Amino acid sequence: MSDSGPLNRRVLTVARREFFARVRSRWFLFSTLVVPLLFVGAMILPAVLVDRSTSEPKPLLIVDETEERLSGRLIELLAEEGVPARRLPVRDGSSNSTPTALDSLRSRILAEEGTVEEERAAAWLHLPPGLLESGRATLVEDRETGPLLRRSVSRALREVVTTERLSRAGLAAESIDAVLSPTSVEIEPLRVEDGPAGLRQALGFVFAMALYVMFIVYGQMIARGVLEEKTSDIVEILVSSLRPWEMMLGKILGIGAVGLSQVAIWATVIGIASILGLASAAPALAELGLDLSQVAVPWDLIGWSMVFFFTGYLLYSGVFAAAGAMVTSEQDIQQVLIPALIPIVLPILVLPAAMQTPDAAWVVVMSLIPFFSPILMPMRVAASHVPLWQLLLAIALLLVTTYLLARAAGRIYRMGILMKGKRPNLPEFVRWLRHG
Amino acid sequence: MADPVIRLEGTSKSFGATRAVEDLSFELPRGSICGLLGPNGAGKTTTIRIILDIVGPDTGTVEVFGGPVTHEARSRIGYLPEERGMYQRMHVAEQLAFFGELKGMGHGEALSEARSWLDRLDLGDRADDRVETLSKGMQQKVQFIATVLHRPELLILDEPFSGLDPLNVDLLREVVLERQRDGATVLFSTHMIEDAEKICERVCMIAGARKVLDGPVRDVKRESGLEHLVIAYRGSPEFLDHPAVASATDHGQWVEIGLAAGADPQTILRRALETGVTIDRFELTEPSLREIFLERAGRRQRANGDGADA
């Protein structure tokens, strides 16, 4: 082990202490377990909820006033779409198709409000007399039923009416089936290896959010760690044994290693859960036209995200270490953390807009700026095809900025760690940067 | 002085408008044990921090082991700061091993050394407890072990005995003297001058950021030119109002009297007997460090024209 290089014995000793002190803490155990549980919960919960809602779906109640009793075939078709439907008995005196028929349905529904029948209806479909000619039916909703039900109803109704019309025109049943045989549009990505575009984009968003959360969590951990050493006066012994930059680097490496171990644990658990979860969901997904065998693991996205995690972490950790060294009490730390957090929060604010237009000029420019690139670039890699030169330029700019910032942070750290009492004012601060 | 372990020359340091150390020069010979004495706020801690290169001096030269304070030099120094600090949630032995490793020891070696020191200082059964569960005095002993663990050639102790009970003071003093007998050089600061008088062979006194005097205790006392009179008496203290008495410090059981230049102590004894005082002890002696310090610091302050307390 070298005794003077950046990774000398003392730096590694500090890094090892930081790592074990945190990995053995209750916080680590808790957060490492809770996050995968939340994730697994988030995957299982919708399935559980869907199961419960489909076990007893509310039926569509049909008031059929057509001469042809079209509701019979309609109910069959709706059942195929998974929409349960029942016919409501038609009451006397409502057999003339006037606007009042709808009104009478309304008043009938309202009159039955609160009864068992009303409670269990998803919506009411009114098939008026002369439907074949007019082609117009009415769906009465109390609560919005959503686009899925509306589309199912209108598709089924169209098929019933068209079949009946063709049959009247004298077409044989087989011919009608041939005419109405279903069509479909298959969706294919341009580059087969990419897999479905939507999934990649979603993954890009998840990665960007994950990077954001990790930068904030581990950054604050660094700032608070520095402050802890100051408030508990350990720093005095440390500076008599090693240089300030060695303390700072050791702390950054140790906490970075905590972050990596945590991510590795999460990735393993979530990966296993996803494989199991997706396997069980495969039949359902296949029905939606999603073939799992087509979904390739986006190695390029994972790889670039890792690169930007490392470089971004190094950049931000210097900022947070300096922030921690600048304050002397727990009360003051928020004041310096907020400015330090702004460059991390800003790309998250523009993230949704940037995802829509990942190659717009402003997004490209922002994704090259060192403070924003660690979060925006992985998103762009997911949502678009980023030219290699842009990726390399972003990383080069990041590394240069990290180097310059680490030097400045080292000076602030050196001056700040032994400071007690008052927070430095701006002129003092500038003096530190110049002479530290 | 050949081969001093510490050498300061013309060292000054200011914090803003406050002068913490002014034009300080002194040398510490190898193997000696030296007290850095002075009242609170005199600049003792700043002097120590300058020696350790924790703060850089504004002017002047600082040499340790005959050169600047390098990594190599740091690992040969053991430093006990005035503000004790440890990772509260770490286990005692592990924490000591960490500090030892920073000074270049191997992990296993540091850990076993730490345990034997803990045994010696009656903390063996607490080796695997968290630091936060220890009492303040225990923590101070652990901190002390961290200072001597790597067998440093130079021990720099800032107020090492403050806040300890007499038993533990003796325990630590024994360790310090043992390290010195093994060849280590010791510099320790204290505002308790009586502490220093018992174990120091040298002293360096500072007051108001300036050095008042330094050198071997014997020389300091001889060169002070002061003769002191110790009187234990029963009766009225009015006999002390005498032209031969330059200063009088009441220690409770006796008074220590600084004699005016050329004064005859017998005139004081005569006066005491005249006023009906019973004398239990009448002894002409060399002055205590405290008296020398008060005399010298007071003279400086009068010369500077500021009346800050010493």
Side-chain angles (χ1 to χ4, degrees):
Chain A
M1 251 182 294
S2 144
D3 208 47
S4 55
L7 288 182
N8 64 42
R9 234 188 122 92
R10 291 176 296 275
V11 171
L12 295 179
T13 302
V14 173
R16 204 182 56 212
R17 198 209 74 83
E18 294 290 338
F19 179 77
F20 284 113
R22 288 187 165 73
V23 166
R24 287 176 190 163
S25 71
R26 253 173 251 141
W27 165 85
F28 185 81
L29 193 69
F30 180 75
S31 59
T32 307
L33 287 180
V34 163
V35 168
L37 283 180
L38 282 180
F39 184 84
V40 171
M43 282 189 69
I44 291 172
L45 205 64
V48 173
L49 290 179
V50 165
D51 258 7
R52 286 187 57 186
S53 61
T54 50
S55 66
E56 221 177 310
K58 292 180 177 178
L60 181 71
L61 299 182
I62 301 174
V63 179
D64 189 357
E65 293 182 315
T66 57
E67 299 79 8
E68 302 84 1
R69 285 288 174 261
L70 293 175
S71 56
R73 176 71 187 131
L74 190 65
I75 288 170
E76 282 171 32
L77 281 175
L78 283 172
E80 281 173 27
E81 299 240 5
V83 179
R86 247 173 337 102
R87 190 164 39 225
L88 269 185
V90 180
R91 290 199 176 163
D92 297 337
S94 59
S95 57
N96 55 335
S97 179
T98 56
T100 52
L102 182 60
D103 288 341
S104 75
L105 173 63
R106 253 198 202 113
S107 54
R108 182 177 156 193
I109 295 166
L110 290 173
E112 284 176 12
E113 194 169 16
T115 67
V116 178
E117 199 74 356
E118 193 273 340
E119 280 293 310
R120 298 178 65 186
W124 296 265
L125 183 64
H126 180 228
L127 305 179
L131 174 65
L132 275 188
E133 291 74 35
S134 69
R136 295 165 74 125
T138 312
L139 188 67
V140 179
E141 298 178 341
D142 187 14
R143 284 169 286 269
E144 203 164 312
T145 52
L148 273 178
L149 181 80
R150 290 179 194 169
R151 206 179 304 142
S152 300
V153 168
S154 82
R155 199 157 47 202
L157 187 67
R158 183 173 180 77
E159 188 169 337
V160 169
V161 170
T162 309
T163 310
E164 196 58 29
R165 281 175 183 165
L166 289 173
S167 160
R168 286 216 179 158
L171 222 59
E174 307 86 65
S175 312
I176 295 171
D177 282 348
V179 168
L180 292 182
S181 68
T183 57
S184 69
V185 177
E186 300 257 326
I187 296 164
E188 282 285 323
L190 172 60
R191 288 165 237 245
V192 182
E193 70 275 11
D194 285 357
L199 197 67
R200 237 183 108 83
Q201 269 202 352
L203 216 56
F205 185 77
V206 170
F207 276 31
M209 288 306 285
L211 286 171
Y212 162 75
V213 170
M214 286 193 291
F215 289 149
I216 286 188
V217 168
Y218 298 117
Q220 297 210 38
M221 204 181 285
I222 289 172
R224 284 178 197 284
V226 173
L227 182 64
E228 185 212 334
E229 279 168 3
K230 283 182 71 170
T231 53
S232 59
D233 294 311
I234 301 161
V235 76
E236 181 102 17
I237 304 193
L238 293 179
V239 291
S240 72
S241 306
L242 65 168
R243 289 190 178 145
W245 69 260
E246 292 174 329
M247 292 165 59
M248 191 172 92
L249 185 61
K251 189 172 276 296
I252 287 171
L253 292 179
I255 293 179
V258 175
L260 274 187
S261 335
Q262 198 158 45
V263 169
I265 295 170
W266 288 342
T268 313
V269 175
I270 291 172
I272 292 170
S274 303
I275 289 167
L276 294 178
L278 284 176
S280 66
L285 289 172
E287 258 177 55
L288 293 173
L290 197 66
D291 184 359
L292 279 179
S293 60
Q294 278 180 6
V295 182
V297 178
W299 290 116
D300 61 328
L301 178 58
I302 293 173
W304 285 115
S305 296
M306 292 290 272
V307 170
F308 281 100
F309 172 70
F310 283 126
T311 46
Y313 173 75
L314 282 180
L315 178 73
Y316 287 127
S317 56
V319 175
F320 281 103
M326 275 171 63
V327 292
T328 52
S329 73
E330 191 68 24
Q331 293 92 307
D332 285 346
I333 199 164
Q334 287 305 330
Q335 291 178 38
V336 290
L337 281 183
I338 288 166
L341 286 173
I342 287 173
I344 308 182
V345 175
L346 214 60
I348 287 298
L349 293 180
V350 303
L351 190 65
M355 277 183 76
Q356 299 304 313
T357 54
D359 292 317
W362 69 271
V363 181
V364 173
V365 169
M366 262 190 95
S367 70
L368 291 175
I369 296 174
F371 281 97
F372 308 142
S373 56
I375 289 170
L376 287 180
M377 263 308 177
M379 179 281 294
R380 285 190 64 213
V381 169
S384 166
H385 295 278
V386 183
L388 188 62
W389 69 265
Q390 287 186 8
L391 287 164
L392 296 180
L393 178 61
I395 289 168
L397 287 174
L398 253 176
L399 291 177
V400 170
T401 314
T402 302
Y403 175 74
L404 294 175
L405 205 86
R407 283 176 54 125
R411 287 179 176 186
I412 294 172
Y413 192 86
R414 187 180 135 90
M415 298 302 287
I417 41 174
L418 285 172
M419 178 197 62
K420 299 195 172 175
K422 195 170 75 68
R423 209 149 54 87
N425 55 31
L426 200 62
E428 275 175 315
F429 187 66
V430 172
R431 205 158 42 83
W432 289 5
L433 276 179
R434 291 177 56 190
H435 306 293
Chain B
M1 205 181 297
D3 192 23
V5 174
I6 296 175
R7 195 172 75 85
L8 296 187
E9 204 175 300
T11 307
S12 299
K13 178 74 189 178
S14 302
F15 296 104
T18 317
R19 295 231 159 199
V21 174
E22 207 171 334
D23 193 26
L24 180 64
S25 301
F26 87 99
E27 291 186 351
L28 187 57
R30 186 173 296 278
S32 62
I33 177 163
C34 174
L36 185 61
L37 310 181
N40 296 327
K44 298 188 298 290
T45 295
T46 303
T47 304
I48 285 175
R49 285 181 170 184
I50 288 172
I51 294 169
L52 289 160
D53 194 32
I54 292 173
V55 294
D58 296 335
T59 58
T61 321
V62 181
E63 281 181 7
V64 176
F65 302 123
V69 184
T70 57
H71 286 312
E72 190 266 340
R74 276 164 205 255
S75 61
R76 293 159 66 188
I77 302 174
Y79 170 44
L80 179 75
E82 183 179 14
E83 310 281 353
R84 327 279 197 244
M86 278 180 289
Y87 294 103
Q88 292 293 314
R89 294 173 164 272
M90 261 181 115
H91 296 198
V92 171
E94 255 179 75
Q95 171 128 240
L96 287 171
F98 169 70
F99 287 132
E101 277 180 84
L102 286 183
K103 295 289 193 185
M105 298 174 87
H107 183 76
E109 178 201 0
L111 203 58
S112 67
E113 282 281 302
R115 287 187 187 280
S116 70
W117 272 109
L118 288 168
D119 285 339
R120 176 164 174 195
L121 296 189
D122 305 327
L123 286 168
D125 54 334
R126 308 302 297 267
D128 297 309
D129 289 352
R130 286 181 179 211
V131 171
E132 62 190 352
T133 64
L134 267 58
S135 76
K136 206 155 181 275
M138 290 176 177
Q139 292 196 22
Q140 201 165 326
K141 285 200 280 182
V142 174
Q143 190 98 56
F144 181 81
I145 296 174
T147 312
V148 295
L149 186 67
H150 59 291
R151 304 191 171 279
E153 294 165 53
L154 172 60
L155 275 176
I156 298 181
L157 313 170
D158 201 350
E159 301 280 358
F161 308 124
S162 74
L164 285 177
D165 62 66
L167 240 106
N168 280 313
V169 169
D170 284 350
L171 201 56
L172 296 199
R173 186 163 51 210
E174 194 182 299
V175 175
V176 170
L177 289 172
E178 177 199 283
R179 298 300 310 131
Q180 191 225 354
R181 276 195 299 276
D182 284 357
T185 311
V186 182
L187 175 69
F188 76 95
S189 81
T190 179
H191 64 278
M192 303 293 290
I193 298 180
E194 290 81 0
D195 269 0
E197 190 152 15
K198 290 179 207 153
I199 57 172
C200 290
E201 28 172 78
R202 299 179 67 88
V203 285
C204 173
M205 291 188 178
I206 54 179
R210 285 178 169 277
K211 182 172 83 175
V212 175
L213 58 87
D214 80 321
V217 172
R218 222 175 318 128
D219 297 359
V220 165
K221 288 191 171 180
R222 202 178 56 222
E223 287 162 15
S224 73
L226 296 174
E227 258 194 312
H228 271 223
L229 185 58
V230 172
I231 304 177
Y233 67 97
R234 283 169 286 160
S236 160
E238 68 183 279
F239 72 96
L240 293 172
D241 186 18
H242 188 277
V245 177
S247 67
T249 308
D250 193 344
H251 289 285
Q253 302 304 312
W254 68 88
V255 257
E256 185 171 356
I257 293 166
L259 290 171
D264 178 2
Q266 296 306 321
T267 61
I268 301 175
L269 177 61
R270 222 167 291 138
R271 172 74 179 275
L273 295 170
E274 277 165 23
T275 57
V277 166
T278 312
I279 302 292
D280 291 331
R281 175 179 167 201
F282 185 87
E283 184 182 358
L284 208 54
T285 175
E286 57 180 10
S288 68
L289 284 175
R290 182 191 174 86
E291 290 302 315
I292 296 173
F293 178 78
L294 286 175
E295 205 267 337
R296 297 291 292 268
R299 187 193 299 163
R300 172 176 303 286
Q301 273 165 8
R302 280 194 296 279
N304 289 354
D306 61 343
D309 68 309

